[in-house]
Amino acid sequence: MKIEAELTNWIVEQRRYLHQNPELSHQEKMTKRYIKERLTEMGIETYSLTGKDVIGIMKGDHDGKVIGIRADMDALPIKEETGLPFASTKPNVMHACGHDGHMAILLGIAKDLSHKKDKIHGTVLFIFQHAEEALPGGAIELVDKNLLNGVDAMFGYHLWQPLELGFIGIHQGPAMAGVDRFCFTIYGKGGHGSMPHQTVDPTVVISNIITQMQTIVSRSLDSKDQAVVSIGELHSGSNYNVIPHTAYASGAVRYFDNEVSKLIRKRVEAIIKGVCDSFGASFELSYEQGDPPLLNDKQLTAFVQKKAIDIFGEERVVQINPIMGSEDFAHYSTSIPATYTFIGIGKPSHPYGHHHPKFDIDEAMLPAGVELFTNSVLDYLKEEADKNENPFN
């Protein structure tokens, strides 16, 4: 079922309006109102579990399972530099990750399916989720509000710049990394730069800690385990000839196995304590577990892969490697069968990646996303209904 030109134009209009009017995580009030208005115009009933999300519910003409399709709504604190005629009207706020396109695709799916209720064997939830970019984000809030009760499967997707335009990326199993955040303060003894022997220099202490942390992956983990430990923030002192009293750093841990996360946390704590003890310093450490790894259900992912091949051709559907970036869609995938698909938008003429001030999507992939998931939803629900009617076939 190809997407007609009229619907394509409408989808593009939605994306451009949403791009012009971005909102940060947990602040998506206008976006929520706009989405709700569009769904209501389609005759789709809506509700909200957190006051920040919008969920549309469509019951088909036939009984069957309940599936969800999720799009994220939030933008980033970035000053846009695209020069687009529909660039952000909000200072220092920009849709620099494709969430405007994700919302437009889901609105397009909803609009398309609103004319095909006679073909729907079950119920479809259109989940417009807030705060994907935040930690903790919107997905865990929705899970805690029992969004997944009675939901049999979840579909998600990402317009993906690292993947060539027109390609669909598939990966079964752990597809995106889990992420933890840690920060720590070192307390030494400050003093004059000319008399370091009278001080406990926190800059030296924290430098040794950071250096030793780089051995965690190479020396504490099995070589088959993938993980990254990165320090992204470091502060120490404010004057060239003063040894400060404190130093501060924060960082992130990315992993695909929860046992790896636990091991790294133990090593981070042990390294900080050991180095501080050796220098006579003290410390405070905060370690926060973030989103878990995103796990693509094998059967559901294979189903979407087959649909993608049917629509775009086998040469356009590729297996991609696990991605070290994280995605709070993972909270759905740890509870019910879920699959997350990557829609390629990369092209040499526009090399700017996600979260870049010049990031932009190729709107040609918006109707492609609608076509893929409209077909996937209809066929998945129909096949599941047929299984229930003929359990021995």
Side-chain angles (χ1 to χ4, degrees):
M1 287 173 279
K2 293 290 183 182
I3 302 305
E4 296 178 355
E6 183 179 354
L7 178 56
T8 294
N9 293 336
W10 185 86
I11 296 165
V12 171
E13 288 175 6
Q14 305 314 304
R15 181 261 164 160
R16 294 184 178 186
Y17 175 85
L18 292 163
H19 188 87
Q20 280 187 304
N21 297 276
E23 293 177 300
L24 297 175
S25 304
H26 297 291
Q27 301 176 30
E28 303 97 325
K29 293 181 180 180
M30 180 282 299
T31 307
K32 175 189 171 184
R33 182 170 63 250
Y34 184 82
I35 295 295
K36 184 176 180 179
E37 289 173 354
R38 300 292 78 74
L39 293 174
T40 301
E41 289 171 355
M42 301 173 203
I44 298 174
E45 178 185 347
T46 67
Y47 63 98
S48 178
L49 290 174
T50 67
K52 293 175 279 189
D53 61 278
V54 185
I55 302 172
I57 180 169
M58 180 184 295
K59 295 182 179 180
D61 289 351
H62 311 279
D63 293 335
K65 290 192 172 183
V66 179
I67 64 98
I69 319 172
R70 176 273 213 165
D72 31 21
M73 299 193 295
D74 53 335
L76 290 156
I78 294 173
K79 182 179 179 180
E80 183 164 350
E81 298 177 4
T82 62
L84 293 168
F86 50 89
S88 171
T89 59
K90 306 285 184 68
N92 303 313
V93 183
M94 175 192 175
H95 272 297
C97 199
H99 296 189
D100 50 339
H102 300 170
M103 288 185 282
I105 288 172
L106 189 50
L107 283 172
I109 295 168
K111 193 173 183 69
D112 197 21
L113 289 178
S114 68
H115 303 294
K116 299 173 180 175
K117 290 185 180 180
D118 60 319
K119 297 180 181 179
I120 298 176
H121 292 254
T123 300
V124 183
L125 300 180
F126 306 101
I127 302 163
F128 292 86
Q129 179 209 301
H130 61 293
E132 186 277 327
E133 300 285 0
L135 187 63
I140 187 62
E141 290 187 357
L142 288 173
V143 171
D144 288 345
K145 292 289 185 178
N146 299 317
L147 167 68
L148 300 182
N149 285 6
V151 178
D152 296 291
M154 182 76 77
F155 295 86
Y157 50 84
H158 204 307
L159 295 164
W160 198 239
Q161 193 275 338
L163 182 63
E164 186 178 347
L165 178 68
F167 283 76
I168 303 297
I170 300 290
H171 184 87
Q172 296 180 9
M176 298 188 76
V179 60
D180 298 339
R181 178 184 182 272
F182 64 88
C183 58
F184 59 99
T185 301
I186 304 301
Y187 297 98
K189 178 183 177 183
H192 199 286
S194 66
M195 293 175 275
H197 60 289
Q198 296 180 356
T199 73
V200 176
D201 190 340
T203 306
V204 174
V205 176
I206 206 165
S207 298
N208 276 266
I209 289 170
I210 292 170
T211 299
Q212 290 197 31
M213 281 185 180
Q214 301 313 303
T215 67
I216 294 175
V217 173
S218 64
R219 291 296 178 267
S220 296
L221 299 186
D222 190 308
S223 59
K224 67 178 174 55
D225 292 321
Q226 289 181 277
V228 173
V229 179
S230 299
I231 298 295
E233 184 180 16
L234 177 62
H235 304 286
S236 177
S238 59
N239 194 293
Y240 82 101
N241 67 345
V242 176
I243 292 175
H245 177 63
T246 64
Y248 172 87
S250 69
V253 176
R254 297 182 184 273
Y255 57 92
F256 292 102
D257 186 305
N258 289 325
E259 293 304 312
V260 169
S261 168
K262 293 176 184 177
L263 188 152
I264 292 176
R265 179 171 185 165
K266 289 180 181 178
R267 291 297 298 130
V268 166
E269 293 171 347
I271 287 171
I272 293 174
K273 184 180 186 304
V275 174
C276 283
D277 286 349
S278 70
F279 279 94
S282 59
F283 69 93
E284 288 184 356
L285 169 66
S286 173
Y287 201 107
E288 180 182 10
Q289 186 170 17
D291 300 326
L294 192 161
L295 306 174
N296 272 345
D297 179 79
K298 183 177 181 179
Q299 291 184 333
L300 194 60
T301 303
F303 178 86
V304 173
Q305 180 179 2
K306 182 178 183 302
K307 292 297 138 188
I309 290 172
D310 290 344
I311 295 169
F312 305 109
E314 190 168 5
E315 70 282 356
R316 290 280 175 175
V317 181
V318 297
Q319 296 286 337
I320 62 173
N321 293 324
I323 294 165
M324 273 297 175
S326 62
E327 185 18 288
D328 75 350
F329 185 87
H331 290 285
Y332 309 128
S333 75
T334 57
S335 301
I336 63 172
T339 187
Y340 197 75
T341 305
F342 298 88
I343 302 171
I345 57 169
K347 50 187 179 182
S349 61
H350 198 83
Y352 308 106
H354 298 275
H355 295 207
H356 191 283
K358 293 183 179 180
F359 173 83
D360 189 21
I361 66 174
D362 192 306
E363 293 174 336
M365 295 310 292
L366 300 179
V370 174
E371 183 179 5
L372 174 59
F373 287 99
T374 296
N375 282 276
S376 293
V377 166
L378 291 174
D379 291 350
Y380 175 80
L381 289 174
K382 180 64 167 62
E383 287 188 15
E384 291 300 306
D386 289 344
K387 288 179 185 177
N388 289 334
E389 290 182 6
N390 303 288
F392 301 108
N393 286 351

